[in-house]
Amino acid sequence: IKTYPFEVSLPLSSTRASSDDAGVGKAEEIVLASSRKTIASLDGHEAGINTIKYSPDGQLLVSGSSDKSVRLWRVETRKQHKRIDLPGPVTDASFSPEGNRLAVAIAEDTCIYLINVATGQIESVLAVPGAKKVNGSNAYACADFSPDGKCLVGAVGGRGWPRFLGEDSVLAIWDAKTMKLHTSFVADRHNIYDLAISPNSKTIATACHRSRVIKLWKLEIPEAPPADLVVQRLIAQLDDDAFAQRNQAESQLMKIGPASAEALRKAIKATNSAEVRMRATRILKTFAPSPITILPGTGFDVHSVAFSPDGKLLASGRQYARPGHLVIWDMSNANRRITAPNTTGAWCVAFF
């Protein structure tokens, strides 16, 4: 994996990479943009590297690999700082805006792992409700913090190539401070290979791999729910003897919105009432948002997305060599498509 410092300045934009069958990508190389000469090679990974990103202060580099580890590297010394072993192949790792935590996504897993950068210990394992393990060799999962530091977004699940078996991809949003789940919903049928959050923290872009589209979602934090007792009373009322009372409770829970989702999911697991399960499931389905926009991608699998620093442009890329597979979208002009002069494909895209 090669990173190209712009005028030898750090930190760089986030980068995602993939290795081929020959094992390329098992070492990271820092390269001078002007000369294209390698200035350092960071050896250590035992399998292909899937993601590399700099910390916000540019002092650390994180790499995630199919060898089931995350490595932290000191940029100044070019030495490995920490190795963190995980239960599966790492497909994404992102620093929080403060640089003190890492969000890590693992292939064929249904959780996002939160790691303390200082200690290298796993702080939390965040399960994504409704997500199922991917059954396929091309499984991917991704995670990132919003630039304002308020949210953590993760995408897991989906049908993976070559068998395309499994369940839908689920997008989940947590409060980045408390790690309380805000919402989770089905975002696509197949794997989501990459996600990007706009600089103003208001929009999520997802690279929907085999669906061959880019979906834009509004990033919203639900209002604080009413007192737990109020929500619990309404859930209990879903099984009221009076039909009108059941309907009224369902209507009120829908008005409360996603803030009541966690209590509804718990009720579905705990109750013996078929009526409560049926109505709670129906209410939860109404909370699933629809994309703001679906961009048609390139007509082929979409592998990567990235917002420009000002949020006015969105870039998308596809790995294989086909004309026009690096596409730039003008977000300020009705999402006008600008096909970049590229004929070699682009597994990863980033703005500098």
Side-chain angles (χ1 to χ4, degrees), residues 37 81 96-97 141 148 166 176 193 196 200 228 236 243 280 286 293 314 326:
K37 292 182 179 179
H81 175 58
S96 65
D148 63 9
Y193 245 54
N200 63 7
D228 289 343
F243 180 77
T286 68
T293 305
L314 176 71
L326 174 61

Side-chain angles (χ1 to χ4, degrees), residues 15-71:
T15 308
R16 162 168 286 174
S18 177
S19 61
D20 58 22
D21 292 338
V24 176
K26 294 182 182 179
E28 291 152 70
E29 295 181 351
I30 301 176
V31 181
L32 281 172
S34 57
S35 65
R36 295 295 191 267
K37 292 182 179 179
T38 302
I39 59 176
S41 181
L42 311 181
D43 298 312
H45 280 297
E46 300 161 0
I49 298 168
N50 298 313
T51 181
I52 52 174
K53 293 175 184 175
Y54 281 97
S55 62
D57 61 8
Q59 294 183 15
L60 292 174
L61 177 72
V62 63
S63 57
S65 168
S66 294
D67 66 7
K68 302 182 181 181
S69 77
V70 162
R71 314 286 177 107

Side-chain angles (χ1 to χ4, degrees), residues 1-3 13-19 49-53 64 90-94 105 140-144 155 192-196 207 302-305 346-350:
I1 300 172
K2 296 181 179 180
T3 60
S13 297
S14 300
T15 308
R16 162 168 286 174
S18 177
S19 61
I49 298 168
N50 298 313
T51 181
I52 52 174
K53 293 175 184 175
V90 176
T91 56
D92 201 9
S94 302
Y140 241 80
C142 45
D144 203 358
I192 291 175
Y193 245 54
D194 194 16
L195 66 84
V302 183
H303 284 97
S304 185
V305 286
W347 178 281
C348 59
V349 291

Side-chain angles (χ1 to χ4, degrees), residues 15 28 65 106 116 121 135 141 164-165 171-172 176 194 199 241 247 267 274 318 338 341:
T15 308
E28 291 152 70
S65 168
I106 295 175
N116 185 299
Q121 300 298 311
N135 190 347
F164 300 116
L165 300 175
L171 197 66
D194 194 16
D241 291 338
N247 281 350
R318 166 183 159 81
I338 307 166

Side-chain angles (χ1 to χ4, degrees), residues 138-206:
N138 210 27
Y140 241 80
C142 45
D144 203 358
F145 289 92
S146 61
D148 63 9
K150 293 182 179 179
C151 295
L152 169 63
V153 181
V156 302
R159 294 165 174 83
W161 183 89
R163 295 164 66 183
F164 300 116
L165 300 175
E167 302 293 333
D168 299 328
S169 279
V170 178
L171 197 66
I173 303 171
W174 293 270
D175 184 309
K177 302 300 181 184
T178 65
M179 288 302 133
K180 182 178 180 180
L181 183 70
H182 283 317
T183 186
S184 65
F185 54 90
V186 171
D188 199 66
R189 185 172 185 268
H190 297 288
N191 285 164
I192 291 175
Y193 245 54
D194 194 16
L195 66 84
I197 303 174
S198 62
N200 63 7
S201 300
K202 293 183 177 180
T203 305
I204 304 168
T206 56

